[in-house]
Structures are given as C-alpha cells and as structure tokens.
Amino acid sequence: MNPIDPEEARKLFAQNCDCLLAAAEPLQFPASTLPEVAFIGRSNVGKSSLINALTGRKGLARASNTPGRTQQVVFFDLAHRLMLVDLPGYGHAEAPRVEKDRWMGLVQTYLRKRQELKCVCVLIDGRHGAKDNDLDMMNLLDRAAVVYQLVLTKMDQVRGADHSTRIQQTQELAAKHPAALANIIATSAEDKLGMNELRVFLAGVGQ
Ligand code: GDP
C-alpha cells in the first residue's frame, strides 16, 4: 500500500457519500466492484456518530436503536471509490433468540463471503475497553481471516493517563489476535479526534 497524503484523504471524504441500499438479507447485498470497509461494534458504541463525523454528514448513518435499522447491512458509496458498510451492532442482551440468530446469519454471511471486503473497523468503546462480545467478534474475524482495525470511540471521555493506558491495553490485545492490525486508532465523533488518521487509513484501503 502506498502512503496516503492526508490532504488527499480529506478530499476523498469531502466528496459525495450516498446510501446505496440497506440489505435485510444476504441476497440483497449489491453487486459492486468497489473495495469495501465495514464498521461493526456493540450497539451504542458510537458507530453511526463515527460514520457521520467521517463523512461530515449528520444524518447519513442512523443510530442502531432506530427502529428497523437494527438488522440491516447499510452500504454507503463514497465517491465511487470506496464502499463504507455499516453492519448491525451486537450486544442487545434483551434481544430475542430468533433475532440474535438472524443477526448472526446476516453478519457472518457478509464477513465470510463478501469478496469486496478488504478490512473491518471493529469499534470499541474507549470508556470501557473491549468486552466479551468484542472479543467474540475479534475471534470470528481471526477465524475468517478478515483483517481488522481496532478503533476506540468516545475518547473525549477518557482523560489524562487513562487515555494512553486504554490505547496501550488495546495494542496488547491486538498483538494477541492474528488478523488485527497492530496500530490502534483513538477517535471521538464529539471533538473529531482521530478523524484524519482514520480517513487516511480508509483512503489507503480504497487505493
Ligand atoms: P451506535 O448505536 O453505535 O450507532 O451509536 P450512536 O452513534 O448512536 O451513539 C450512541 C450514543 O453515544 C449517543 O448518545 C451519542 O451521542 C454518543 N456518542 C457517540 N459518539 C460519541 C463520542 O465520540 N463522544 C461522546 N462523548 N459520546 C458519543
């Protein structure tokens, strides 16, 4: 991968980003030749806020607690260069079994079979660090041999020494997982921390 100029990455993300479609089942996944990066995490991790902050569009991605959005894979076409894919969140303790099974079928099919998928951003709440279901997702991606980038969210809420401790802990975690990239990206959709770093990373995937 060639190094990406931050200005080039900024320009890419300033271009049009349109919702192509929301798929409720694998048969609805679009035919596409664009490289894809998918975003996944526990519900409420800040995934829609992050996608909106990255693209500078407030209402583009909707929160996972939006009715009807919980079980959809949403495809966003960024400037016909890169497909950003919003995967449904996990960790709804109260969700009925049948819904959890449906989530598994939809997400696993996407992660295991999607040819265009280049990389997954696994979002981890920076305030708490990785939880058991985050580790389950990382193990699933290791087994599927899908490369993933760990992205800490809500880092505006993690202050002082805790900030670097959280990053270090997450680096140590990544080192134990074969498909995890070593570098950790710390972000905040609130104060835009890490947005440029994440854009540069994503633009590199879309190269
Ligand atoms: P999703 O369910 O993963 O899509 O999460 P949302 O983007 O809807 O965010 C869940 C909650 O976390 C909302 O109340 C957001 O306002 C809040 N949130 C999201 N990102 C940040 C952030 O960077 N910093 C802070 N402090 N709160 C955030």
Side-chain angles (χ1 to χ4, degrees):
M1 221 193 279
N2 295 324
I4 296 286
D5 173 13
E7 182 55 17
E8 201 183 304
R10 189 195 64 74
K11 281 190 187 149
L12 172 63
F13 278 84
Q15 292 184 53
N16 276 350
C17 187
D18 302 307
C19 179
L20 187 65
L21 65 84
E25 52 178 291
L27 280 174
Q28 297 170 339
F29 294 163
S32 159
T33 52
L34 294 180
E36 288 184 11
V37 182
F39 295 78
I40 197 156
R42 290 157 56 83
S43 34
N44 270 315
V45 70
K47 182 162 51 69
S48 18
S49 304
L50 186 76
I51 294 173
N52 291 339
L54 266 176
T55 56
R57 284 161 189 81
K58 266 201 161 125
L60 188 68
R62 314 231 183 98
S64 34
N65 48 14
T66 306
R69 279 271 159 163
T70 45
Q71 296 285 348
Q72 290 178 332
V73 176
V74 188
F75 294 80
F76 299 102
D77 178 336
L78 176 65
H80 307 308
R81 285 264 310 275
L82 182 65
M83 195 78 83
L84 306 177
V85 180
D86 186 359
L87 294 173
Y90 48 82
H92 278 294
E94 72 286 6
R97 177 91 232 164
V98 56
E99 210 172 290
K100 286 186 179 164
D101 289 349
R102 228 173 69 72
W103 177 91
M104 245 324 175
L106 186 63
V107 171
Q108 283 204 6
T109 305
Y110 176 82
L111 295 174
R112 292 208 170 120
K113 304 254 170 78
R114 187 75 175 165
Q115 295 287 328
E116 295 75 16
L117 178 64
K118 300 288 176 237
C119 178
V120 175
C121 288
V122 178
L123 275 45
I124 291 173
D125 193 324
R127 298 169 307 173
H128 312 300
K131 300 269 191 186
D132 283 351
N133 39 20
D134 297 316
L135 301 179
D136 291 344
M137 175 50 63
M138 292 170 69
N139 290 331
L140 188 157
L141 292 167
D142 289 333
R143 286 195 300 271
V146 175
V147 173
Y148 55 98
Q149 168 68 54
L150 297 181
V151 177
L152 291 167
T153 61
K154 307 191 189 183
M155 287 298 274
D156 57 289
Q157 301 262 307
V158 189
R159 306 243 172 238
D162 291 345
H163 195 99
S164 40
T165 305
R166 178 67 70 225
I167 294 175
Q168 199 187 330
Q169 276 175 350
T170 316
Q171 273 167 347
E172 286 165 11
L173 178 67
K176 292 188 206 142
H177 287 264
L181 295 170
N183 181 43
I184 306 300
I185 304 183
T187 69
S188 160
E190 200 73 22
D191 63 15
K192 313 292 180 261
L193 171 81
M195 286 307 125
N196 287 336
E197 188 183 356
L198 188 51
R199 287 189 192 115
V200 166
F201 170 74
L202 296 169
V205 175
Q207 228 176 17

